[in-house]
Amino acid sequence: ANTFFTHAAPWASDDPLHIAETHVYAHQALHLAGILSLPLMPTKAAELLDRLGVPSEERTWARAQRVSNASVPEEGEAQARWTEVRTRHGGKPPTGPLFPQLS
């Protein structure tokens, strides 16, 4: 996921579809990582899923399989999905690090 996001470089693109697709893929990767991390670090995984706006009914192993098998979004679908994610947070992303820097 890190390699994909680095190569996709949405910060260097002027194409709204490319930016939205990249954000959708990043969201899917984090969603999957959050589900898979729940048994190992339940508090932080739940916080990650909360920040992503993932409802509790979508935090299951069955959902993880559907996320990992998700298809490439169609044109317009990526933008709609990213808008939906932002809407869950009132249009504003959560602030602050998930894992604060150790001193």
Side-chain angles (χ1 to χ4, degrees):
N2 284 342
T3 301
F4 167 78
F5 200 66
T6 300
H7 289 292
W11 53 87
S13 177
D14 292 331
D15 179 10
L17 178 60
H18 174 74
I19 294 168
E21 285 176 342
T22 304
H23 283 146
V24 167
Y25 288 132
H27 185 275
Q28 287 174 330
L30 290 169
H31 185 172
L32 182 58
I35 292 171
L36 297 175
S37 299
L38 276 168
L40 305 171
M41 45 184 194
T43 304
K44 285 298 181 179
E47 184 181 347
L48 169 63
L49 294 168
D50 288 344
R51 287 179 177 215
L52 293 172
V54 177
S56 59
E57 64 272 8
E58 292 184 15
R59 299 177 184 196
T60 64
W61 289 108
R63 180 63 181 163
Q65 186 174 15
R66 286 196 309 275
V67 170
S68 67
N69 291 330
S71 61
V72 176
E74 296 292 325
E75 186 171 346
E77 180 187 357
Q79 185 65 46
R81 286 165 66 183
W82 180 237
T83 300
E84 175 189 342
V85 169
R86 289 179 41 212
T87 301
R88 290 179 189 163
H89 294 288
K92 299 177 185 173
T95 58
L98 183 63
F99 294 98
Q101 183 176 359
L102 298 175
S103 303

